[in-house]
Amino acid sequence: MKLHRFLLVLFPVLMQAQTWVNRTYSNLYDVQARAMVEMTNGNFLVTGTQAFANGFLSVHEPTGACMNSYFLSQSALSSYSDFYVIENINDTLAVLGGRIELAGGPAEVWKGITLAVNQNGAMLWALSHEVSNPGVDAVVQDIERLNDSTFLVLSSSTGASQNALSKISKEGTVWWTINYDSKDDGFQLNDICVVDSTLFYRDWE
């Protein structure tokens, strides 16, 4: 029953966020708003991608009016990015997760990316993530807040059986990374959850 009430509250909020982004980015064709968080100052941060794999972040007032919008892939590092998840770590910090295409030897490789922004959408720092084989495409599947200064990032390979879990500080320092690879029965982790100091993983069904 509690879950049903939660879904009834959540769905209108998500649909409203999609409307905001469609209005803001209506000239960019196929725009997908994939995740949203509300910050303490009342702003909503919305992230996703558009048809040409340009990851974006938009900042909205509580009324839905767009204050700022940013493309997150137009740089010397990459031409393409996708963002799937955003998590608020504290009152003034949110972290986005997804993937970005970077040079990896003779070919371009998709690497996981985390990107920290403040409550107004200004970028603070960015980290790229890979699995045990750096030549394999990877993506950040999930971000789990531990407290107001640290969080976990789950990265998984694309079409392989390699996963990596990193603990990161709010300043962007990687404390440690653990690889989870399967040689026999393939699995790809896509979700993490911390309950009573116990970490749970979920793989593709």
mmCIF file of all heavy atoms in Angstrom, residues 120-159:
data_model
loop_
_atom_site.group_PDB
_atom_site.id
_atom_site.type_symbol
_atom_site.label_atom_id
_atom_site.label_comp_id
_atom_site.label_asym_id
_atom_site.label_seq_id
_atom_site.Cartn_x
_atom_site.Cartn_y
_atom_site.Cartn_z
ATOM 1 N N ASN A 120 22.677 25.081 -8.439
ATOM 2 C CA ASN A 120 22.310 25.899 -9.594
ATOM 3 C C ASN A 120 22.787 25.301 -10.910
ATOM 4 O O ASN A 120 22.676 25.925 -11.962
ATOM 5 C CB ASN A 120 22.879 27.312 -9.432
ATOM 6 C CG ASN A 120 22.308 28.033 -8.222
ATOM 7 O OD1 ASN A 120 21.096 27.994 -7.994
ATOM 8 N ND2 ASN A 120 23.161 28.664 -7.430
ATOM 9 N N GLY A 121 23.344 24.086 -10.859
ATOM 10 C CA GLY A 121 23.735 23.388 -12.080
ATOM 11 C C GLY A 121 25.164 23.630 -12.532
ATOM 12 O O GLY A 121 25.578 23.066 -13.542
ATOM 13 N N ALA A 122 25.932 24.441 -11.819
ATOM 14 C CA ALA A 122 27.320 24.694 -12.213
ATOM 15 C C ALA A 122 28.181 23.464 -11.922
ATOM 16 O O ALA A 122 28.102 22.891 -10.834
ATOM 17 C CB ALA A 122 27.870 25.905 -11.471
ATOM 18 N N MET A 123 29.018 23.070 -12.893
ATOM 19 C CA MET A 123 29.837 21.885 -12.733
ATOM 20 C C MET A 123 30.965 22.131 -11.744
ATOM 21 O O MET A 123 31.627 23.166 -11.779
ATOM 22 C CB MET A 123 30.408 21.435 -14.078
ATOM 23 C CG MET A 123 31.060 20.070 -14.014
ATOM 24 S SD MET A 123 31.655 19.470 -15.610
ATOM 25 C CE MET A 123 33.226 20.323 -15.707
ATOM 26 N N LEU A 124 31.205 21.144 -10.860
ATOM 27 C CA LEU A 124 32.253 21.240 -9.850
ATOM 28 C C LEU A 124 33.439 20.348 -10.190
ATOM 29 O O LEU A 124 34.580 20.753 -10.044
ATOM 30 C CB LEU A 124 31.692 20.870 -8.480
ATOM 31 C CG LEU A 124 30.480 21.694 -8.014
ATOM 32 C CD1 LEU A 124 29.933 21.154 -6.710
ATOM 33 C CD2 LEU A 124 30.873 23.160 -7.866
ATOM 34 N N TRP A 125 33.175 19.114 -10.617
ATOM 35 C CA TRP A 125 34.239 18.194 -11.021
ATOM 36 C C TRP A 125 33.618 17.044 -11.817
ATOM 37 O O TRP A 125 32.395 16.858 -11.809
ATOM 38 C CB TRP A 125 35.037 17.656 -9.825
ATOM 39 C CG TRP A 125 34.223 17.074 -8.695
ATOM 40 C CD1 TRP A 125 33.910 17.670 -7.513
ATOM 41 C CD2 TRP A 125 33.632 15.758 -8.643
ATOM 42 N NE1 TRP A 125 33.151 16.838 -6.736
ATOM 43 C CE2 TRP A 125 32.978 15.649 -7.402
ATOM 44 C CE3 TRP A 125 33.588 14.688 -9.524
ATOM 45 C CZ2 TRP A 125 32.279 14.502 -7.015
ATOM 46 C CZ3 TRP A 125 32.891 13.537 -9.148
ATOM 47 C CH2 TRP A 125 32.263 13.462 -7.909
ATOM 48 N N ALA A 126 34.481 16.287 -12.507
ATOM 49 C CA ALA A 126 34.025 15.139 -13.290
ATOM 50 C C ALA A 126 35.057 14.028 -13.186
ATOM 51 O O ALA A 126 36.259 14.281 -13.105
ATOM 52 C CB ALA A 126 33.816 15.525 -14.754
ATOM 53 N N LEU A 127 34.581 12.775 -13.160
ATOM 54 C CA LEU A 127 35.443 11.601 -13.124
ATOM 55 C C LEU A 127 34.984 10.616 -14.193
ATOM 56 O O LEU A 127 33.780 10.474 -14.430
ATOM 57 C CB LEU A 127 35.371 10.895 -11.762
ATOM 58 C CG LEU A 127 35.910 11.627 -10.536
ATOM 59 C CD1 LEU A 127 35.565 10.839 -9.283
ATOM 60 C CD2 LEU A 127 37.411 11.813 -10.652
ATOM 61 N N SER A 128 35.926 9.943 -14.838
ATOM 62 C CA SER A 128 35.567 8.848 -15.739
ATOM 63 C C SER A 128 35.802 7.528 -15.017
ATOM 64 O O SER A 128 36.648 7.429 -14.120
ATOM 65 C CB SER A 128 36.385 8.910 -17.033
ATOM 66 O OG SER A 128 37.765 8.758 -16.766
ATOM 67 N N HIS A 129 35.029 6.499 -15.402
ATOM 68 C CA HIS A 129 35.074 5.200 -14.731
ATOM 69 C C HIS A 129 35.182 4.101 -15.778
ATOM 70 O O HIS A 129 34.594 4.192 -16.863
ATOM 71 C CB HIS A 129 33.801 4.986 -13.895
ATOM 72 C CG HIS A 129 33.546 6.063 -12.897
ATOM 73 N ND1 HIS A 129 33.981 6.004 -11.600
ATOM 74 C CD2 HIS A 129 32.905 7.255 -13.022
ATOM 75 C CE1 HIS A 129 33.623 7.104 -10.955
ATOM 76 N NE2 HIS A 129 32.965 7.877 -11.803
ATOM 77 N N GLU A 130 35.922 3.054 -15.430
ATOM 78 C CA GLU A 130 36.036 1.904 -16.311
ATOM 79 C C GLU A 130 36.019 0.642 -15.469
ATOM 80 O O GLU A 130 36.112 0.690 -14.233
ATOM 81 C CB GLU A 130 37.316 1.975 -17.144
ATOM 82 C CG GLU A 130 38.583 2.094 -16.316
ATOM 83 C CD GLU A 130 39.811 2.420 -17.156
ATOM 84 O OE1 GLU A 130 39.676 3.095 -18.202
ATOM 85 O OE2 GLU A 130 40.901 2.000 -16.759
ATOM 86 N N VAL A 131 35.884 -0.501 -16.128
ATOM 87 C CA VAL A 131 35.916 -1.781 -15.443
ATOM 88 C C VAL A 131 37.325 -2.356 -15.552
ATOM 89 O O VAL A 131 38.256 -1.666 -15.958
ATOM 90 C CB VAL A 131 34.843 -2.731 -16.027
ATOM 91 C CG1 VAL A 131 33.447 -2.234 -15.657
ATOM 92 C CG2 VAL A 131 34.977 -2.842 -17.536
ATOM 93 N N SER A 132 37.505 -3.639 -15.183
ATOM 94 C CA SER A 132 38.861 -4.200 -15.129
ATOM 95 C C SER A 132 39.537 -4.219 -16.492
ATOM 96 O O SER A 132 40.759 -4.163 -16.583
ATOM 97 C CB SER A 132 38.812 -5.616 -14.547
ATOM 98 O OG SER A 132 37.941 -6.445 -15.299
ATOM 99 N N ASN A 133 38.757 -4.294 -17.569
ATOM 100 C CA ASN A 133 39.313 -4.214 -18.920
ATOM 101 C C ASN A 133 39.040 -2.810 -19.455
ATOM 102 O O ASN A 133 37.910 -2.493 -19.834
ATOM 103 C CB ASN A 133 38.679 -5.261 -19.824
ATOM 104 C CG ASN A 133 39.264 -5.246 -21.245
ATOM 105 O OD1 ASN A 133 40.033 -4.351 -21.605
ATOM 106 N ND2 ASN A 133 38.889 -6.223 -22.047
ATOM 107 N N PRO A 134 40.044 -1.937 -19.504
ATOM 108 C CA PRO A 134 39.806 -0.545 -19.927
ATOM 109 C C PRO A 134 39.401 -0.411 -21.391
ATOM 110 O O PRO A 134 38.952 0.659 -21.801
ATOM 111 C CB PRO A 134 41.154 0.128 -19.664
ATOM 112 C CG PRO A 134 42.154 -0.977 -19.701
ATOM 113 C CD PRO A 134 41.458 -2.179 -19.160
ATOM 114 N N GLY A 135 39.531 -1.481 -22.173
ATOM 115 C CA GLY A 135 39.134 -1.412 -23.573
ATOM 116 C C GLY A 135 37.687 -1.774 -23.804
ATOM 117 O O GLY A 135 37.216 -1.771 -24.946
ATOM 118 N N VAL A 136 36.939 -2.072 -22.738
ATOM 119 C CA VAL A 136 35.536 -2.465 -22.836
ATOM 120 C C VAL A 136 34.651 -1.255 -22.542
ATOM 121 O O VAL A 136 34.929 -0.473 -21.628
ATOM 122 C CB VAL A 136 35.230 -3.607 -21.846
ATOM 123 C CG1 VAL A 136 33.734 -3.872 -21.769
ATOM 124 C CG2 VAL A 136 35.973 -4.871 -22.249
ATOM 125 N N ASP A 137 33.588 -1.091 -23.312
ATOM 126 C CA ASP A 137 32.639 -0.007 -23.051
ATOM 127 C C ASP A 137 32.022 -0.175 -21.664
ATOM 128 O O ASP A 137 31.680 -1.284 -21.244
ATOM 129 C CB ASP A 137 31.526 -0.014 -24.097
ATOM 130 C CG ASP A 137 32.019 0.426 -25.466
ATOM 131 O OD1 ASP A 137 33.072 1.094 -25.537
ATOM 132 O OD2 ASP A 137 31.358 0.098 -26.460
ATOM 133 N N ALA A 138 31.862 0.934 -20.947
ATOM 134 C CA ALA A 138 31.309 0.895 -19.593
ATOM 135 C C ALA A 138 30.342 2.056 -19.390
ATOM 136 O O ALA A 138 30.390 3.059 -20.115
ATOM 137 C CB ALA A 138 32.426 0.939 -18.551
ATOM 138 N N VAL A 139 29.485 1.921 -18.400
ATOM 139 C CA VAL A 139 28.498 2.946 -18.089
ATOM 140 C C VAL A 139 28.246 2.947 -16.589
ATOM 141 O O VAL A 139 28.307 1.896 -15.939
ATOM 142 C CB VAL A 139 27.178 2.692 -18.859
ATOM 143 C CG1 VAL A 139 26.580 1.341 -18.513
ATOM 144 C CG2 VAL A 139 26.165 3.801 -18.606
ATOM 145 N N VAL A 140 28.002 4.113 -16.009
ATOM 146 C CA VAL A 140 27.595 4.207 -14.605
ATOM 147 C C VAL A 140 26.118 3.843 -14.522
ATOM 148 O O VAL A 140 25.265 4.517 -15.096
ATOM 149 C CB VAL A 140 27.848 5.618 -14.045
ATOM 150 C CG1 VAL A 140 27.184 5.781 -12.676
ATOM 151 C CG2 VAL A 140 29.349 5.879 -13.919
ATOM 152 N N GLN A 141 25.835 2.762 -13.797
ATOM 153 C CA GLN A 141 24.467 2.265 -13.678
ATOM 154 C C GLN A 141 23.712 2.875 -12.508
ATOM 155 O O GLN A 141 22.505 3.075 -12.575
ATOM 156 C CB GLN A 141 24.477 0.733 -13.520
ATOM 157 C CG GLN A 141 25.028 -0.027 -14.708
ATOM 158 C CD GLN A 141 24.015 -0.172 -15.825
ATOM 159 O OE1 GLN A 141 22.940 0.423 -15.793
ATOM 160 N NE2 GLN A 141 24.354 -0.955 -16.825
ATOM 161 N N ASP A 142 24.434 3.156 -11.409
ATOM 162 C CA ASP A 142 23.726 3.608 -10.214
ATOM 163 C C ASP A 142 24.674 4.406 -9.321
ATOM 164 O O ASP A 142 25.892 4.207 -9.342
ATOM 165 C CB ASP A 142 23.164 2.414 -9.441
ATOM 166 C CG ASP A 142 22.083 2.806 -8.445
ATOM 167 O OD1 ASP A 142 21.590 3.953 -8.530
ATOM 168 O OD2 ASP A 142 21.729 1.980 -7.584
ATOM 169 N N ILE A 143 24.093 5.328 -8.546
ATOM 170 C CA ILE A 143 24.812 6.109 -7.542
ATOM 171 C C ILE A 143 24.032 5.993 -6.240
ATOM 172 O O ILE A 143 22.816 6.208 -6.222
ATOM 173 C CB ILE A 143 24.935 7.595 -7.956
ATOM 174 C CG1 ILE A 143 25.713 7.721 -9.272
ATOM 175 C CG2 ILE A 143 25.602 8.413 -6.853
ATOM 176 C CD1 ILE A 143 25.678 9.124 -9.854
ATOM 177 N N GLU A 144 24.708 5.629 -5.167
ATOM 178 C CA GLU A 144 24.056 5.461 -3.867
ATOM 179 C C GLU A 144 24.728 6.362 -2.839
ATOM 180 O O GLU A 144 25.934 6.256 -2.587
ATOM 181 C CB GLU A 144 24.141 4.006 -3.412
ATOM 182 C CG GLU A 144 23.507 3.732 -2.067
ATOM 183 C CD GLU A 144 21.978 3.720 -2.106
ATOM 184 O OE1 GLU A 144 21.422 3.644 -3.216
ATOM 185 O OE2 GLU A 144 21.359 3.776 -1.028
ATOM 186 N N ARG A 145 23.963 7.263 -2.260
ATOM 187 C CA ARG A 145 24.484 8.179 -1.236
ATOM 188 C C ARG A 145 24.690 7.415 0.065
ATOM 189 O O ARG A 145 23.802 6.718 0.541
ATOM 190 C CB ARG A 145 23.490 9.323 -1.040
ATOM 191 C CG ARG A 145 23.833 10.292 0.075
ATOM 192 C CD ARG A 145 22.728 11.340 0.195
ATOM 193 N NE ARG A 145 22.985 12.273 1.276
ATOM 194 C CZ ARG A 145 22.589 12.097 2.538
ATOM 195 N NH1 ARG A 145 21.915 11.005 2.860
ATOM 196 N NH2 ARG A 145 22.855 12.999 3.459
ATOM 197 N N LEU A 146 25.884 7.565 0.652
ATOM 198 C CA LEU A 146 26.162 6.969 1.955
ATOM 199 C C LEU A 146 25.886 7.967 3.080
ATOM 200 O O LEU A 146 25.294 7.628 4.092
ATOM 201 C CB LEU A 146 27.610 6.491 2.021
ATOM 202 C CG LEU A 146 27.976 5.339 1.083
ATOM 203 C CD1 LEU A 146 29.453 5.016 1.184
ATOM 204 C CD2 LEU A 146 27.129 4.103 1.381
ATOM 205 N N ASN A 147 26.342 9.188 2.910
ATOM 206 C CA ASN A 147 26.049 10.277 3.845
ATOM 207 C C ASN A 147 26.195 11.574 3.058
ATOM 208 O O ASN A 147 26.207 11.538 1.827
ATOM 209 C CB ASN A 147 26.970 10.236 5.076
ATOM 210 C CG ASN A 147 28.444 10.111 4.694
ATOM 211 O OD1 ASN A 147 28.950 10.896 3.895
ATOM 212 N ND2 ASN A 147 29.131 9.106 5.247
ATOM 213 N N ASP A 148 26.310 12.714 3.743
ATOM 214 C CA ASP A 148 26.358 13.981 3.011
ATOM 215 C C ASP A 148 27.742 14.321 2.476
ATOM 216 O O ASP A 148 27.958 15.418 1.963
ATOM 217 C CB ASP A 148 25.832 15.133 3.868
ATOM 218 C CG ASP A 148 26.667 15.367 5.121
ATOM 219 O OD1 ASP A 148 27.643 14.613 5.341
ATOM 220 O OD2 ASP A 148 26.337 16.286 5.881
ATOM 221 N N SER A 149 28.673 13.351 2.539
ATOM 222 C CA SER A 149 30.014 13.631 2.031
ATOM 223 C C SER A 149 30.608 12.487 1.209
ATOM 224 O O SER A 149 31.642 12.668 0.579
ATOM 225 C CB SER A 149 30.972 13.965 3.185
ATOM 226 O OG SER A 149 31.082 12.865 4.066
ATOM 227 N N THR A 150 29.981 11.310 1.200
ATOM 228 C CA THR A 150 30.492 10.189 0.408
ATOM 229 C C THR A 150 29.353 9.457 -0.286
ATOM 230 O O THR A 150 28.196 9.502 0.149
ATOM 231 C CB THR A 150 31.271 9.176 1.275
ATOM 232 O OG1 THR A 150 30.383 8.626 2.255
ATOM 233 C CG2 THR A 150 32.464 9.814 1.950
ATOM 234 N N PHE A 151 29.694 8.757 -1.363
ATOM 235 C CA PHE A 151 28.692 7.997 -2.101
ATOM 236 C C PHE A 151 29.378 6.864 -2.855
ATOM 237 O O PHE A 151 30.595 6.858 -3.039
ATOM 238 C CB PHE A 151 27.922 8.899 -3.068
ATOM 239 C CG PHE A 151 28.782 9.657 -4.037
ATOM 240 C CD1 PHE A 151 29.018 9.177 -5.317
ATOM 241 C CD2 PHE A 151 29.371 10.864 -3.678
ATOM 242 C CE1 PHE A 151 29.823 9.873 -6.212
ATOM 243 C CE2 PHE A 151 30.169 11.570 -4.560
ATOM 244 C CZ PHE A 151 30.391 11.071 -5.833
ATOM 245 N N LEU A 152 28.583 5.888 -3.296
ATOM 246 C CA LEU A 152 29.068 4.755 -4.069
ATOM 247 C C LEU A 152 28.649 4.922 -5.520
ATOM 248 O O LEU A 152 27.547 5.402 -5.814
ATOM 249 C CB LEU A 152 28.503 3.441 -3.525
ATOM 250 C CG LEU A 152 28.894 3.062 -2.097
ATOM 251 C CD1 LEU A 152 28.137 1.808 -1.668
ATOM 252 C CD2 LEU A 152 30.396 2.849 -1.984
ATOM 253 N N VAL A 153 29.524 4.498 -6.428
ATOM 254 C CA VAL A 153 29.224 4.527 -7.862
ATOM 255 C C VAL A 153 29.402 3.117 -8.415
ATOM 256 O O VAL A 153 30.454 2.503 -8.240
ATOM 257 C CB VAL A 153 30.157 5.504 -8.612
ATOM 258 C CG1 VAL A 153 29.964 5.369 -10.124
ATOM 259 C CG2 VAL A 153 29.884 6.928 -8.181
ATOM 260 N N LEU A 154 28.356 2.590 -9.059
ATOM 261 C CA LEU A 154 28.411 1.284 -9.699
ATOM 262 C C LEU A 154 28.582 1.460 -11.198
ATOM 263 O O LEU A 154 27.751 2.089 -11.853
ATOM 264 C CB LEU A 154 27.131 0.499 -9.424
ATOM 265 C CG LEU A 154 26.993 -0.843 -10.153
ATOM 266 C CD1 LEU A 154 28.046 -1.835 -9.664
ATOM 267 C CD2 LEU A 154 25.591 -1.412 -9.971
ATOM 268 N N SER A 155 29.672 0.924 -11.751
ATOM 269 C CA SER A 155 29.924 0.951 -13.192
ATOM 270 C C SER A 155 29.867 -0.472 -13.719
ATOM 271 O O SER A 155 30.331 -1.402 -13.060
ATOM 272 C CB SER A 155 31.304 1.551 -13.501
ATOM 273 O OG SER A 155 31.426 2.842 -12.946
ATOM 274 N N SER A 156 29.300 -0.648 -14.916
ATOM 275 C CA SER A 156 29.188 -1.976 -15.520
ATOM 276 C C SER A 156 29.623 -1.921 -16.971
ATOM 277 O O SER A 156 29.460 -0.902 -17.647
ATOM 278 C CB SER A 156 27.751 -2.498 -15.433
ATOM 279 O OG SER A 156 27.342 -2.635 -14.087
ATOM 280 N N SER A 157 30.166 -3.038 -17.433
ATOM 281 C CA SER A 157 30.533 -3.133 -18.838
ATOM 282 C C SER A 157 29.277 -3.269 -19.682
ATOM 283 O O SER A 157 28.214 -3.640 -19.197
ATOM 284 C CB SER A 157 31.453 -4.336 -19.066
ATOM 285 O OG SER A 157 30.790 -5.524 -18.652
ATOM 286 N N THR A 158 29.412 -2.956 -20.959
ATOM 287 C CA THR A 158 28.300 -3.081 -21.893
ATOM 288 C C THR A 158 28.468 -4.378 -22.678
ATOM 289 O O THR A 158 29.389 -4.510 -23.463
ATOM 290 C CB THR A 158 28.270 -1.886 -22.864
ATOM 291 O OG1 THR A 158 28.188 -0.678 -22.109
ATOM 292 C CG2 THR A 158 27.091 -1.985 -23.816
ATOM 293 N N GLY A 159 27.601 -5.344 -22.399
ATOM 294 C CA GLY A 159 27.654 -6.609 -23.119
ATOM 295 C C GLY A 159 28.741 -7.544 -22.658
ATOM 296 O O GLY A 159 29.136 -8.449 -23.392
#
